[in-house]
Amino acid sequence: WLEKAGLKDSTEALIIAAQEQALSTRSIEAGVYHSRQDPQLCKDAPETVQHILAGCKMLAGTAYTERHNKVAGIVYRSICAEYRLEVPKSKWETPPKVVENSRAKVLWDFKFQTDKQLLANQLDMVVVDKEQKRAVVIDVAVPADSNIWKKEHEKSEKYQGLKEELEWTWKVKSKVVPVIIVALGAVTPKLGEWVQENPGTTFEVSVQKSAVLGTEPSNSQAFGLW
């Protein structure tokens, strides 16, 4: 997929180095090269490549969130284009909570109020096709490599209660669609099937590229390379 992504050479080099665990992290600099005294960024765990990619609390509210929203934004824009809804002018623009026309309603980062207590009631997107009486519950995650299968299963199961509530309340058929892309761009074999469940056309390589580009600044800053 890297051949199709059109990444800059420097970005591709950084991603491949991270995949090979060949980046000089603070932990390596402190423990191997003895060139620094602070072996950790967040002080909670050894600064491995995988920890920086998706496990550091210092990056959780900033770099990880921005990366997640960029990936989710690609899916969102393709859905809005399919239904001729207003599309955000740039990838930096936060979508409105609700956009709607006679064909569809799209909810973004929406928290549902339900009578029944649910395991999870806030998710990235819900698309309601009014003509087909169908709803798609979409949630995005950009985990580390080791968590990809766990995260896909977790997302598939986590929102089943909300799915049932939506079917009962809105009288529609619904489906939960997890969109999981590893921080370095890898995906599970099922991603193609999942994105086909979404209205519109979302290309796998576009969300992979977005995840990688969202990862590069967080990695580079954490590793002192940017």
Side-chain angles (χ1 to χ4, degrees):
W1 74 269
L2 283 173
E3 294 178 355
K4 302 176 183 177
L7 298 171
K8 294 188 298 184
D9 291 345
S10 58
T11 299
E12 191 169 325
L14 181 62
I15 296 307
I16 291 174
Q19 289 174 336
E20 298 295 326
Q21 310 288 306
L23 293 176
S24 182
T25 67
R26 284 179 172 83
S27 183
I28 290 176
E29 290 177 0
V32 178
Y33 302 135
H34 306 292
S35 59
R36 67 188 309 154
Q37 300 299 316
D38 54 332
Q40 299 154 315
L41 179 65
C42 69
K43 314 301 181 186
D44 281 350
E47 190 187 84
T48 63
V49 171
Q50 293 298 314
H51 176 74
I52 289 296
L53 288 177
C56 179
K57 71 178 184 181
M58 297 292 288
L59 300 174
T62 53
Y64 297 163
T65 300
E66 290 177 10
R67 180 179 63 190
H68 167 277
N69 289 345
K70 286 179 185 177
V71 173
I74 288 176
V75 180
Y76 177 87
R77 285 193 291 275
S78 70
I79 291 169
C80 287
E82 172 71 14
Y83 290 113
R84 299 180 183 273
L85 291 161
E86 184 176 354
V87 178
K89 294 180 176 60
S90 78
K91 63 183 179 181
W92 305 107
E93 183 179 340
T94 301
K97 289 289 185 182
V98 183
V99 290
E100 184 175 10
N101 61 17
S102 60
R103 295 179 58 199
K105 177 192 293 186
V106 182
L107 311 177
W108 168 271
D109 190 25
F110 200 87
K111 186 173 184 178
F112 288 85
Q113 301 295 327
T114 60
D115 294 332
K116 184 191 298 184
Q117 186 173 1
L118 301 174
L119 177 65
N121 63 348
Q122 183 166 357
L123 34 71
D124 293 325
M125 282 167 277
V126 176
V127 184
V128 182
D129 188 308
K130 297 179 180 180
E131 296 172 349
Q132 297 183 15
K133 297 190 179 301
R134 177 175 178 264
V136 183
V137 176
I138 305 167
D139 210 57
V140 174
V142 188
D145 293 34
S146 58
N147 286 336
I148 183 170
W149 292 103
K150 176 183 177 183
K151 188 63 67 173
E152 186 174 70
H153 177 74
E154 174 189 301
K155 294 290 186 182
S156 299
E157 298 299 320
K158 185 177 180 180
Y159 296 105
Q160 291 301 318
L162 180 57
K163 168 183 172 293
E164 293 171 3
E165 283 289 302
L166 294 181
E167 289 182 336
W168 183 81
T169 303
W170 291 349
K171 311 303 181 189
V172 295
K173 291 289 185 181
S174 63
K175 187 176 185 66
V176 177
V177 175
V179 178
I180 314 298
I181 303 94
V182 163
L184 296 177
V187 299
T188 70
K190 295 187 68 175
L191 180 65
E193 298 176 27
W194 291 127
V195 295
Q196 287 179 16
E197 294 287 347
N198 296 331
T201 302
T202 301
F203 296 103
E204 288 183 52
V205 70
S206 64
V207 290
Q208 289 174 286
K209 181 177 180 179
S210 182
V212 165
L213 291 177
T215 293
E216 183 194 13
S218 61
N219 273 331
S220 301
Q221 185 179 33
F223 295 131
L225 300 174
W226 184 62

